[in-house]
Amino acid sequence: MCLLGLRDTGVGKSSIVCRFVQDHFDHNISPTIGASFMTKTVPCGNELHKFLIWDTAGQERFHSLAPMYYRGSAAAVIVYDITKQDSFYTLKKWVKELKEHGPENIVMAIAGNKCDLSDIREVPLKDAKEYAESIGAIVVETSAKNAINIEELFQGISRQIPPLDPHENGNSGGIKVGQPPMQASRRCC
Amino acid sequence: SCLSLPSSWDYGHVCVFVGLPESIVAAACSRSGRRVLHVDSRSYYGGNWASFSFSGLLSWLKEYQENSDIVNDSPVWQDQILENEEAIALSRKDKTIQHVEVFCYASQDLHEDVEEAGALQKNHALVTSANSTEAADSAFLPTEHEPLSTMSCEMLTEQTPSSGPENALEVNGAEVTGEKENHCDDKTCVPSTSAEDMSENVPIAEDTTEQPKKNRITYSQIIKEGRRFNIDLVSKLLYSRGLLIDLLIKSNVSRYAEFKNITRILAFREGQVEQVPCSRADVFNSKQLTMVEKRMLMKFLTFCMEYEKYPDEYKGYEEITFYEYLKTQKLTPNLQYIVLHSIAMTSETASSTIDGLKATKNFLHCLGRYGNTPFLFPLYGQGELPQCFCRMCAVFGGIYCLRHSVQCLVVDKESRKCKAIIDQFGQRIISEHFLVEDSYFSENMYSRVQYRQISRAVLITDRSVLKTDSDQQISILTVPAEEPGTFAVRVIELCSSTMTCMKGTYLVHLTCTSSKTAREDLEPVVQKLFIPYTEMEIENEQVEKPRILWALYFNMRDSSDISRSCYNDLPSNVYVCSGPDCGLGNDNAVKQAETLFQEICPNEDFCPPPPNPEDIVLDGDSLQPEASESSAIPEANSETVKESTNLGNLEESSE
């Protein structure tokens, strides 16, 4: 399954991914250089969900995200910074973009990161919850730094992802070329 | 959102305009540690290499009809140019697309079951060439700051003969502006007739056939399912052993894309579409070929695989065309036709014996790598490919900025080098190298340039040109030129599993080198293969032809053979990329990119494999790849489709 991360630059999306995948937090993780995919498997009921996380590699910075990021994604995590009201406005723009251009049944999750800094909070949790409800999204406040709610975020997504239907969409048989040895596969999700 | 860039930034390179070659160079430079800024005034990736959803395509069309964005704001940059500098103004309006014409045959009525589109008379919204010329002319009016586009005007007057409405297909109305607004502007190339207008003026026919209809697709359905479409401006395929596939694999950019094999090679002979046997298995299973023909063809193809080894077989024939050469071989006319048009994919006059043998060999060489034909098509369209390279560029720190236009290049008078660009906000962005697509240059930059043109048509149809058990076929069909001076037409038919069209429809791309306008070049072929969509159930052979729901014609400029020397006074650190060429493969773009990369980063490896992504994330500092992956090119030994849920393995680099 695919997951796509969107964020306003600097809200800590990479840190979330890093915490989730490697249970590790780096204070100086600055820009998302070199990262393109990360994977992690999460048990969910009887199934194992393999998250394939696409980092947006900074292309979102000037609102120039390529549509290829949406292709076949099952879920999107949109991260804002609870200490920056602006990042919450930007988040709404991303939601709109996703609704307009993304896959129709994409699961959306809103993550208010840096909840360890709630003394300088600008975005009330209530606002986020109301907004999330209005768009049918999962909402959670996280701290990549203190490992708060990161697992919960991904488990929440995992629960909402519909089971794979191999007959759906004629979605099968895409060829991957290159290393490792070529193999045909279903597009994620 | 404010897109202004921090003014203190300077970059290793600046790319303007995001086509495929530029994206490859950007990825390669970024990969080699250069700082890359990719700027484009458009809101989408890929320039003329882009693909669009249906609504995206409608907005693209609208852009070409609107003059609004060429209204002049006084240039903010002029007072910024210092005494020791001069400016090269960049063109604000893209002039690479011309003669845009749209036809809608699908019922545009919003209340289904009320109106029969087939009953509409042809007095509606018929585009005559004369009108479209005038319209196109005014739609491409230059701005005050750009000299008149003599090239494109010449093209317009020279290449628009007076074909009247009698040549035109029956048109039920053309609606190009999306579901809500109806754009009516006599300066546009495309007529618009709103659904409302039509229902007022046109008698509504009785629904004479009361049976339930299958495959009934309306315009509003196309609009509704618009996201399912990914309509390429450029129609190309990847040769499974071509330069682009090799580059995708070498650089590991291939992990960002998925492909489908083209499933059929088709030929059009005596009014019939038939499948061309090209692999050994195809030849033996073919029902159209006699036993004798099968042996002849296998023998000839086996020879072509290693033709260099048998010089005696072709030495005497080097002066003649491949067409003449084939006649001297032990091949029936049937087989000669197949080899010439569908395997070598050339024409009677275009190729010498050696070129034909090379093309045949290349075709055979590409067979079987990923499937039964030599070609691959990217899921979601060719427009994914520039995006994949852009992603690679971004992953290595490249910065992307769409909707950001560049007004001019700033050239230092003394060194004759370009120092910076000035963007729409009047801000300078300093860089060492500048990569510019040629469409950004206004006409006074070059002299004696005669561009070629590509004629393109895009059709949405309701069934395949050749029906088989499976409705999920991807086909390429070459229709040979009929008259001297015209060119063969390449038809690529995509099914919905390529993620380029909605279920129950096919997306058909027609391409040829222009001799006239796109519609004049391609409509004869369209009329041979398709019929306009009607709701009528006609009980005859005609109905077996696929029906066109929607059609678009346009010409695109082909600048691929314009050399750097055509440009006057180009600073040495400004590099020019051409737009798409007319060829089937992408070799031209890759060659161009590699050459430019070598000029910018001499002696550096072109797109080496990246390190394992999971290695990099652990430690943000050690970005240098260990290049542990083998560069061996894997072969298609696992032809069988393996349904694997362990998708991660496909994405991660091998250890």
Tab-separated table of all heavy atoms in Angstrom, chain A residues 34 36-37 39 55 59 63-64 68-69 71 99-100 102 104 171-172 175-177 179 182-184 186-187, chain B residues 45 227-228 254-255 257-260 370 384 387 391 395 402-403 499 614 616 630 638 642-643 650 652:
chain	number	residue	atom	x	y	z
A	34	GLY	N	17.554	13.141	-0.423
A	34	GLY	CA	17.887	11.742	-0.662
A	34	GLY	C	16.780	10.775	-0.332
A	34	GLY	O	16.790	9.650	-0.814
A	36	SER	N	13.427	8.954	-0.619
A	36	SER	CA	12.355	8.901	-1.595
A	36	SER	C	11.267	7.936	-1.158
A	36	SER	O	10.108	8.294	-1.114
A	36	SER	CB	12.887	8.545	-2.971
A	36	SER	OG	13.651	7.387	-2.929
A	37	PHE	N	11.671	6.742	-0.767
A	37	PHE	CA	10.682	5.828	-0.238
A	37	PHE	C	11.153	5.313	1.097
A	37	PHE	O	12.336	5.096	1.281
A	37	PHE	CB	10.582	4.537	-1.043
A	37	PHE	CG	10.170	4.687	-2.435
A	37	PHE	CD1	11.105	4.676	-3.431
A	37	PHE	CD2	8.840	4.784	-2.748
A	37	PHE	CE1	10.713	4.769	-4.743
A	37	PHE	CE2	8.454	4.866	-4.057
A	37	PHE	CZ	9.384	4.865	-5.054
A	39	THR	N	9.740	2.141	3.899
A	39	THR	CA	8.698	1.136	4.048
A	39	THR	C	8.633	0.665	5.484
A	39	THR	O	9.627	0.660	6.203
A	39	THR	CB	8.980	-0.094	3.164
A	39	THR	OG1	10.267	-0.597	3.510
A	39	THR	CG2	8.932	0.254	1.708
A	55	ASP	N	8.015	10.311	0.104
A	55	ASP	CA	8.274	11.638	0.610
A	55	ASP	C	8.109	12.629	-0.534
A	55	ASP	O	8.438	12.333	-1.672
A	55	ASP	CB	9.707	11.676	1.110
A	55	ASP	CG	9.941	12.853	1.993
A	55	ASP	OD1	9.936	13.984	1.493
A	55	ASP	OD2	10.126	12.631	3.182
A	59	GLN	N	9.074	19.149	-3.108
A	59	GLN	CA	8.396	19.688	-4.284
A	59	GLN	C	7.114	20.439	-3.925
A	59	GLN	O	6.577	21.173	-4.728
A	59	GLN	CB	8.086	18.575	-5.290
A	59	GLN	CG	9.276	18.243	-6.175
A	59	GLN	CD	8.998	17.055	-7.068
A	59	GLN	OE1	8.913	15.930	-6.622
A	59	GLN	NE2	8.858	17.294	-8.347
A	63	HIS	N	4.386	24.965	-3.876
A	63	HIS	CA	3.122	24.431	-4.370
A	63	HIS	C	3.284	23.804	-5.749
A	63	HIS	O	2.482	24.000	-6.648
A	63	HIS	CB	2.044	25.517	-4.396
A	63	HIS	CG	0.701	24.961	-4.081
A	63	HIS	ND1	0.194	24.918	-2.808
A	63	HIS	CD2	-0.217	24.361	-4.868
A	63	HIS	CE1	-0.980	24.327	-2.834
A	63	HIS	NE2	-1.251	23.978	-4.069
A	64	SER	N	4.342	23.040	-5.910
A	64	SER	CA	4.633	22.453	-7.208
A	64	SER	C	4.684	20.933	-7.130
A	64	SER	O	5.572	20.311	-7.682
A	64	SER	CB	5.960	22.993	-7.739
A	64	SER	OG	5.927	24.385	-7.808
A	68	MET	N	2.152	12.794	-10.080
A	68	MET	CA	2.578	11.404	-9.933
A	68	MET	C	2.542	10.943	-8.477
A	68	MET	O	2.431	9.759	-8.204
A	68	MET	CB	3.982	11.189	-10.494
A	68	MET	CG	5.052	11.954	-9.744
A	68	MET	SD	6.728	11.505	-10.244
A	68	MET	CE	6.942	10.018	-9.321
A	69	TYR	N	2.592	11.875	-7.546
A	69	TYR	CA	2.541	11.489	-6.138
A	69	TYR	C	1.192	10.893	-5.751
A	69	TYR	O	1.094	10.141	-4.811
A	69	TYR	CB	2.810	12.697	-5.240
A	69	TYR	CG	4.259	13.087	-5.207
A	69	TYR	CD1	4.731	14.107	-6.004
A	69	TYR	CD2	5.157	12.404	-4.390
A	69	TYR	CE1	6.068	14.460	-5.986
A	69	TYR	CE2	6.488	12.757	-4.368
A	69	TYR	CZ	6.932	13.776	-5.163
A	69	TYR	OH	8.251	14.116	-5.139
A	71	ARG	N	-0.720	9.031	-7.687
A	71	ARG	CA	-1.066	7.816	-8.414
A	71	ARG	C	-1.169	6.618	-7.487
A	71	ARG	O	-0.196	6.228	-6.838
A	71	ARG	CB	-0.014	7.496	-9.475
A	71	ARG	CG	0.352	8.613	-10.401
A	71	ARG	CD	-0.787	9.083	-11.243
A	71	ARG	NE	-0.312	10.013	-12.278
A	71	ARG	CZ	-1.063	10.952	-12.820
A	71	ARG	NH1	-2.295	11.121	-12.425
A	71	ARG	NH2	-0.568	11.732	-13.751
A	99	LYS	N	-8.471	16.489	-2.889
A	99	LYS	CA	-9.852	16.169	-3.240
A	99	LYS	C	-10.066	16.357	-4.735
A	99	LYS	O	-10.799	15.599	-5.357
A	99	LYS	CB	-10.826	17.076	-2.471
A	99	LYS	CG	-10.851	16.770	-0.994
A	99	LYS	CD	-12.260	16.399	-0.531
A	99	LYS	CE	-12.219	16.061	0.943
A	99	LYS	NZ	-13.097	14.992	1.334
A	100	GLU	N	-9.416	17.381	-5.280
A	100	GLU	CA	-9.618	17.674	-6.688
A	100	GLU	C	-8.847	16.739	-7.600
A	100	GLU	O	-9.310	16.379	-8.666
A	100	GLU	CB	-9.199	19.122	-7.000
A	100	GLU	CG	-10.295	20.110	-6.683
A	100	GLU	CD	-9.809	21.545	-6.754
A	100	GLU	OE1	-8.764	21.807	-7.380
A	100	GLU	OE2	-10.466	22.405	-6.158
A	102	GLY	N	-6.600	13.962	-6.419
A	102	GLY	CA	-6.146	12.678	-5.904
A	102	GLY	C	-7.111	11.554	-6.215
A	102	GLY	O	-8.184	11.786	-6.767
A	104	GLU	N	-10.051	8.908	-5.740
A	104	GLU	CA	-11.329	9.248	-5.120
A	104	GLU	C	-11.486	8.740	-3.685
A	104	GLU	O	-12.022	9.420	-2.840
A	104	GLU	CB	-12.486	8.742	-5.981
A	104	GLU	CG	-12.779	9.691	-7.130
A	104	GLU	CD	-12.931	8.977	-8.451
A	104	GLU	OE1	-13.396	7.830	-8.462
A	104	GLU	OE2	-12.559	9.567	-9.481
A	171	ASN	N	-6.517	-2.959	-12.230
A	171	ASN	CA	-5.350	-2.254	-11.730
A	171	ASN	C	-4.087	-3.092	-11.776
A	171	ASN	O	-3.090	-2.750	-11.203
A	171	ASN	CB	-5.631	-1.892	-10.266
A	171	ASN	CG	-5.337	-0.453	-10.025
A	171	ASN	OD1	-4.929	0.249	-10.948
A	171	ASN	ND2	-5.521	-0.003	-8.798
A	172	SER	N	-4.159	-4.213	-12.444
A	172	SER	CA	-3.055	-5.157	-12.297
A	172	SER	C	-2.149	-5.142	-13.510
A	172	SER	O	-2.477	-4.610	-14.553
A	172	SER	CB	-3.623	-6.543	-12.101
A	172	SER	OG	-4.465	-6.826	-13.200
A	175	ILE	N	4.125	-3.159	-15.266
A	175	ILE	CA	5.466	-3.734	-15.259
A	175	ILE	C	6.410	-2.759	-14.582
A	175	ILE	O	6.412	-1.570	-14.889
A	175	ILE	CB	5.947	-3.975	-16.706
A	175	ILE	CG1	5.043	-4.991	-17.398
A	175	ILE	CG2	7.398	-4.424	-16.733
A	175	ILE	CD1	5.331	-5.129	-18.881
A	176	LYS	N	7.199	-3.265	-13.645
A	176	LYS	CA	8.264	-2.446	-13.102
A	176	LYS	C	9.510	-2.801	-13.895
A	176	LYS	O	9.798	-3.972	-14.110
A	176	LYS	CB	8.518	-2.803	-11.632
A	176	LYS	CG	7.427	-2.383	-10.682
A	176	LYS	CD	7.156	-0.923	-10.726
A	176	LYS	CE	7.877	-0.102	-9.683
A	176	LYS	NZ	7.395	1.291	-9.662
A	177	VAL	N	10.232	-1.827	-14.325
A	177	VAL	CA	11.468	-2.152	-15.018
A	177	VAL	C	12.637	-1.828	-14.102
A	177	VAL	O	12.541	-0.959	-13.244
A	177	VAL	CB	11.612	-1.395	-16.360
A	177	VAL	CG1	10.450	-1.731	-17.271
A	177	VAL	CG2	11.721	0.085	-16.147
A	179	GLN	N	16.074	-2.642	-11.505
A	179	GLN	CA	16.475	-3.477	-10.386
A	179	GLN	C	15.456	-3.344	-9.290
A	179	GLN	O	14.986	-2.242	-9.061
A	179	GLN	CB	17.838	-3.008	-9.842
A	179	GLN	CG	18.836	-2.819	-10.891
A	179	GLN	CD	19.524	-1.478	-10.829
A	179	GLN	OE1	19.145	-0.612	-10.059
A	179	GLN	NE2	20.505	-1.293	-11.644
A	182	MET	N	13.113	-7.626	-12.877
A	182	MET	CA	11.776	-7.205	-13.274
A	182	MET	C	10.689	-8.143	-12.815
A	182	MET	O	10.801	-9.336	-12.882
A	182	MET	CB	11.745	-7.114	-14.791
A	182	MET	CG	10.651	-6.246	-15.276
A	182	MET	SD	10.072	-6.896	-16.798
A	182	MET	CE	9.085	-8.235	-16.231
A	183	GLN	N	9.661	-7.567	-12.390
A	183	GLN	CA	8.558	-8.337	-11.866
A	183	GLN	C	7.306	-7.513	-12.133
A	183	GLN	O	7.312	-6.316	-11.994
A	183	GLN	CB	8.761	-8.457	-10.355
A	183	GLN	CG	8.083	-9.622	-9.757
A	183	GLN	CD	8.517	-9.755	-8.307
A	183	GLN	OE1	9.396	-9.040	-7.844
A	183	GLN	NE2	7.896	-10.648	-7.620
A	184	ALA	N	6.289	-8.183	-12.491
A	184	ALA	CA	5.057	-7.442	-12.694
A	184	ALA	C	4.312	-7.380	-11.378
A	184	ALA	O	4.398	-8.293	-10.573
A	184	ALA	CB	4.204	-8.126	-13.741
A	186	ARG	N	0.842	-5.539	-9.022
A	186	ARG	CA	-0.301	-4.654	-8.925
A	186	ARG	C	0.200	-3.309	-8.426
A	186	ARG	O	1.084	-3.236	-7.595
A	186	ARG	CB	-1.282	-5.257	-7.925
A	186	ARG	CG	-2.434	-4.372	-7.619
A	186	ARG	CD	-3.366	-5.057	-6.656
A	186	ARG	NE	-3.001	-6.465	-6.546
A	186	ARG	CZ	-3.270	-7.188	-5.473
A	186	ARG	NH1	-3.893	-6.672	-4.467
A	186	ARG	NH2	-2.908	-8.455	-5.415
A	187	ARG	N	-0.342	-2.280	-8.960
A	187	ARG	CA	-0.025	-0.965	-8.414
A	187	ARG	C	-0.485	-0.945	-6.961
A	187	ARG	O	-1.500	-1.540	-6.622
A	187	ARG	CB	-0.775	0.096	-9.226
A	187	ARG	CG	-0.524	1.504	-8.782
A	187	ARG	CD	0.567	2.147	-9.590
A	187	ARG	NE	0.978	3.379	-8.939
A	187	ARG	CZ	2.005	4.090	-9.312
A	187	ARG	NH1	2.754	3.696	-10.299
A	187	ARG	NH2	2.322	5.188	-8.689
B	45	TYR	N	3.718	20.091	-14.796
B	45	TYR	CA	5.020	19.590	-15.199
B	45	TYR	C	5.014	19.156	-16.658
B	45	TYR	O	3.999	18.695	-17.164
B	45	TYR	CB	5.399	18.379	-14.340
B	45	TYR	CG	5.898	18.757	-12.969
B	45	TYR	CD1	5.019	18.980	-11.922
B	45	TYR	CD2	7.255	18.890	-12.726
B	45	TYR	CE1	5.473	19.322	-10.663
B	45	TYR	CE2	7.736	19.237	-11.477
B	45	TYR	CZ	6.838	19.456	-10.444
B	45	TYR	OH	7.295	19.797	-9.210
B	227	ARG	N	-11.115	12.604	-14.336
B	227	ARG	CA	-9.880	12.292	-13.639
B	227	ARG	C	-9.249	10.987	-14.116
B	227	ARG	O	-8.081	10.735	-13.886
B	227	ARG	CB	-10.177	12.174	-12.159
B	227	ARG	CG	-9.338	13.097	-11.328
B	227	ARG	CD	-9.601	12.875	-9.879
B	227	ARG	NE	-10.677	13.717	-9.388
B	227	ARG	CZ	-10.966	13.831	-8.092
B	227	ARG	NH1	-10.262	13.156	-7.204
B	227	ARG	NH2	-11.947	14.593	-7.688
B	228	ARG	N	-10.085	10.146	-14.706
B	228	ARG	CA	-9.575	8.868	-15.213
B	228	ARG	C	-8.713	9.051	-16.459
B	228	ARG	O	-8.042	8.127	-16.874
B	228	ARG	CB	-10.729	7.946	-15.575
B	228	ARG	CG	-11.680	7.722	-14.451
B	228	ARG	CD	-11.516	6.331	-13.872
B	228	ARG	NE	-12.329	6.193	-12.688
B	228	ARG	CZ	-11.851	5.775	-11.517
B	228	ARG	NH1	-10.579	5.461	-11.401
B	228	ARG	NH2	-12.637	5.671	-10.481
B	254	SER	N	13.315	4.446	-12.720
B	254	SER	CA	12.256	3.506	-13.110
B	254	SER	C	11.378	3.117	-11.928
B	254	SER	O	10.244	2.714	-12.107
B	254	SER	CB	12.858	2.262	-13.733
B	254	SER	OG	13.730	1.637	-12.821
B	255	ARG	N	11.905	3.245	-10.720
B	255	ARG	CA	11.095	2.839	-9.573
B	255	ARG	C	9.890	3.758	-9.362
B	255	ARG	O	8.959	3.419	-8.656
B	255	ARG	CB	11.931	2.792	-8.314
B	255	ARG	CG	12.168	4.165	-7.732
B	255	ARG	CD	12.888	4.106	-6.434
B	255	ARG	NE	14.308	4.365	-6.640
B	255	ARG	CZ	15.169	4.392	-5.649
B	255	ARG	NH1	14.805	4.090	-4.443
B	255	ARG	NH2	16.426	4.675	-5.880
B	257	ALA	N	7.923	4.679	-11.733
B	257	ALA	CA	6.931	4.509	-12.800
B	257	ALA	C	6.628	3.041	-13.010
B	257	ALA	O	7.388	2.166	-12.599
B	257	ALA	CB	7.457	5.113	-14.093
B	258	GLU	N	5.495	2.793	-13.620
B	258	GLU	CA	5.145	1.443	-14.021
B	258	GLU	C	4.744	1.471	-15.484
B	258	GLU	O	4.293	2.494	-15.987
B	258	GLU	CB	3.974	0.929	-13.192
B	258	GLU	CG	4.400	0.297	-11.893
B	258	GLU	CD	3.199	-0.243	-11.144
B	258	GLU	OE1	2.490	0.559	-10.524
B	258	GLU	OE2	2.976	-1.456	-11.222
B	259	PHE	N	4.891	0.352	-16.114
B	259	PHE	CA	4.674	0.311	-17.554
B	259	PHE	C	3.732	-0.816	-17.936
B	259	PHE	O	3.548	-1.769	-17.192
B	259	PHE	CB	6.007	0.114	-18.274
B	259	PHE	CG	6.969	1.223	-18.026
B	259	PHE	CD1	7.818	1.193	-16.914
B	259	PHE	CD2	7.007	2.323	-18.860
B	259	PHE	CE1	8.690	2.237	-16.655
B	259	PHE	CE2	7.876	3.368	-18.604
B	259	PHE	CZ	8.720	3.323	-17.509
B	260	LYS	N	3.182	-0.673	-19.116
B	260	LYS	CA	2.425	-1.755	-19.726
B	260	LYS	C	3.082	-2.063	-21.051
B	260	LYS	O	3.587	-1.168	-21.730
B	260	LYS	CB	0.982	-1.299	-20.006
B	260	LYS	CG	0.124	-1.253	-18.772
B	260	LYS	CD	-0.697	-2.505	-18.675
B	260	LYS	CE	-1.570	-2.472	-17.438
B	260	LYS	NZ	-2.350	-3.694	-17.312
B	370	TYR	N	10.211	-7.498	-22.491
B	370	TYR	CA	9.131	-7.408	-21.507
B	370	TYR	C	7.837	-8.029	-22.009
B	370	TYR	O	6.850	-8.034	-21.313
B	370	TYR	CB	8.890	-5.957	-21.113
B	370	TYR	CG	10.092	-5.325	-20.461
B	370	TYR	CD1	10.782	-4.311	-21.080
B	370	TYR	CD2	10.550	-5.792	-19.230
B	370	TYR	CE1	11.896	-3.745	-20.497
B	370	TYR	CE2	11.664	-5.236	-18.640
B	370	TYR	CZ	12.339	-4.210	-19.275
B	370	TYR	OH	13.437	-3.662	-18.695
B	384	GLU	N	4.147	11.136	-17.285
B	384	GLU	CA	4.729	10.739	-16.002
B	384	GLU	C	6.253	10.840	-16.043
B	384	GLU	O	6.891	11.031	-15.011
B	384	GLU	CB	4.364	9.290	-15.665
B	384	GLU	CG	2.915	9.049	-15.371
B	384	GLU	CD	2.434	9.766	-14.124
B	384	GLU	OE1	2.661	9.278	-13.017
B	384	GLU	OE2	1.812	10.826	-14.298
B	387	GLN	N	7.989	13.940	-14.891
B	387	GLN	CA	7.765	14.038	-13.441
B	387	GLN	C	8.685	13.105	-12.663
B	387	GLN	O	9.148	13.437	-11.574
B	387	GLN	CB	6.325	13.681	-13.101
B	387	GLN	CG	5.318	14.670	-13.606
B	387	GLN	CD	3.908	14.218	-13.251
B	387	GLN	OE1	3.637	13.854	-12.119
B	387	GLN	NE2	3.033	14.226	-14.226
B	391	ARG	N	11.304	14.281	-9.917
B	391	ARG	CA	11.317	13.763	-8.549
B	391	ARG	C	12.741	13.403	-8.152
B	391	ARG	O	13.182	13.720	-7.050
B	391	ARG	CB	10.413	12.541	-8.432
B	391	ARG	CG	10.521	11.873	-7.078
B	391	ARG	CD	9.294	11.058	-6.749
B	391	ARG	NE	9.503	10.196	-5.605
B	391	ARG	CZ	9.500	10.612	-4.343
B	391	ARG	NH1	9.306	11.881	-4.069
B	391	ARG	NH2	9.704	9.763	-3.368
B	395	VAL	N	14.671	14.901	-5.050
B	395	VAL	CA	15.180	14.036	-3.991
B	395	VAL	C	16.628	14.412	-3.662
B	395	VAL	O	17.057	14.350	-2.519
B	395	VAL	CB	15.045	12.556	-4.431
B	395	VAL	CG1	15.983	11.651	-3.659
B	395	VAL	CG2	13.604	12.098	-4.274
B	402	LEU	N	6.662	25.913	-9.924
B	402	LEU	CA	5.753	26.106	-11.050
B	402	LEU	C	5.060	27.461	-10.906
B	402	LEU	O	5.180	28.103	-9.879
B	402	LEU	CB	4.704	24.986	-11.087
B	402	LEU	CG	5.205	23.553	-11.247
B	402	LEU	CD1	4.033	22.580	-11.245
B	402	LEU	CD2	6.031	23.381	-12.499
B	403	ARG	N	4.322	27.835	-11.936
B	403	ARG	CA	3.588	29.107	-11.942
B	403	ARG	C	4.496	30.288	-11.631
B	403	ARG	O	4.129	31.203	-10.921
B	403	ARG	CB	2.454	29.103	-10.893
B	403	ARG	CG	1.396	28.066	-11.102
B	403	ARG	CD	0.402	28.089	-9.962
B	403	ARG	NE	-0.258	26.815	-9.832
B	403	ARG	CZ	0.236	25.787	-9.159
B	403	ARG	NH1	1.400	25.900	-8.530
B	403	ARG	NH2	-0.427	24.652	-9.112
B	499	MET	N	-4.532	3.452	-17.486
B	499	MET	CA	-4.850	4.594	-16.621
B	499	MET	C	-4.837	5.903	-17.392
B	499	MET	O	-4.443	6.947	-16.867
B	499	MET	CB	-3.842	4.704	-15.454
B	499	MET	CG	-3.699	3.454	-14.659
B	499	MET	SD	-5.293	3.000	-13.986
B	499	MET	CE	-4.825	1.751	-12.850
B	614	GLU	N	16.970	3.858	1.991
B	614	GLU	CA	16.906	3.655	3.441
B	614	GLU	C	18.251	3.920	4.109
B	614	GLU	O	18.314	4.215	5.279
B	614	GLU	CB	16.367	2.255	3.741
B	614	GLU	CG	14.940	2.127	3.196
B	614	GLU	CD	14.171	0.939	3.702
B	614	GLU	OE1	14.831	-0.045	4.106
B	614	GLU	OE2	12.939	0.995	3.688
B	616	ILE	N	20.164	6.424	3.213
B	616	ILE	CA	20.368	7.865	3.306
B	616	ILE	C	19.616	8.454	4.479
B	616	ILE	O	20.130	9.300	5.174
B	616	ILE	CB	19.874	8.586	2.050
B	616	ILE	CG1	20.312	7.829	0.816
B	616	ILE	CG2	20.413	9.992	2.008
B	616	ILE	CD1	19.584	8.309	-0.407
B	630	SER	N	24.206	-3.493	-8.520
B	630	SER	CA	24.831	-3.897	-9.772
B	630	SER	C	24.111	-3.163	-10.882
B	630	SER	O	22.928	-2.874	-10.810
B	630	SER	CB	24.692	-5.389	-9.974
B	630	SER	OG	23.472	-5.682	-10.593
B	638	SER	N	10.818	-13.278	-15.738
B	638	SER	CA	9.585	-13.561	-15.017
B	638	SER	C	8.403	-12.958	-15.748
B	638	SER	O	7.810	-11.997	-15.330
B	638	SER	CB	9.661	-12.997	-13.602
B	638	SER	OG	9.997	-11.642	-13.679
B	642	LYS	N	3.185	-11.946	-11.325
B	642	LYS	CA	3.173	-12.458	-9.973
B	642	LYS	C	2.406	-11.480	-9.114
B	642	LYS	O	2.784	-10.328	-8.985
B	642	LYS	CB	4.610	-12.545	-9.472
B	642	LYS	CG	4.921	-13.854	-8.773
B	642	LYS	CD	6.258	-13.678	-8.098
B	642	LYS	CE	7.090	-14.925	-8.070
B	642	LYS	NZ	8.459	-14.624	-7.645
B	643	GLU	N	1.317	-11.920	-8.582
B	643	GLU	CA	0.564	-11.044	-7.710
B	643	GLU	C	1.253	-11.023	-6.356
B	643	GLU	O	1.186	-11.965	-5.598
B	643	GLU	CB	-0.873	-11.542	-7.560
B	643	GLU	CG	-1.745	-11.247	-8.762
B	643	GLU	CD	-2.016	-9.757	-8.932
B	643	GLU	OE1	-2.033	-9.044	-7.924
B	643	GLU	OE2	-2.184	-9.325	-10.066
B	650	LEU	N	9.749	-4.388	-4.508
B	650	LEU	CA	9.915	-3.879	-5.858
B	650	LEU	C	10.531	-2.499	-5.835
B	650	LEU	O	11.193	-2.088	-6.756
B	650	LEU	CB	8.558	-3.807	-6.549
B	650	LEU	CG	7.856	-5.129	-6.693
B	650	LEU	CD1	6.468	-4.910	-7.237
B	650	LEU	CD2	8.661	-6.026	-7.611
B	652	GLU	N	12.395	-1.109	-3.242
B	652	GLU	CA	13.682	-0.925	-2.588
B	652	GLU	C	14.798	-1.406	-3.496
B	652	GLU	O	14.656	-2.342	-4.248
B	652	GLU	CB	13.717	-1.737	-1.295
B	652	GLU	CG	12.751	-1.219	-0.266
B	652	GLU	CD	12.330	-2.266	0.727
B	652	GLU	OE1	12.967	-3.329	0.767
B	652	GLU	OE2	11.355	-2.014	1.432
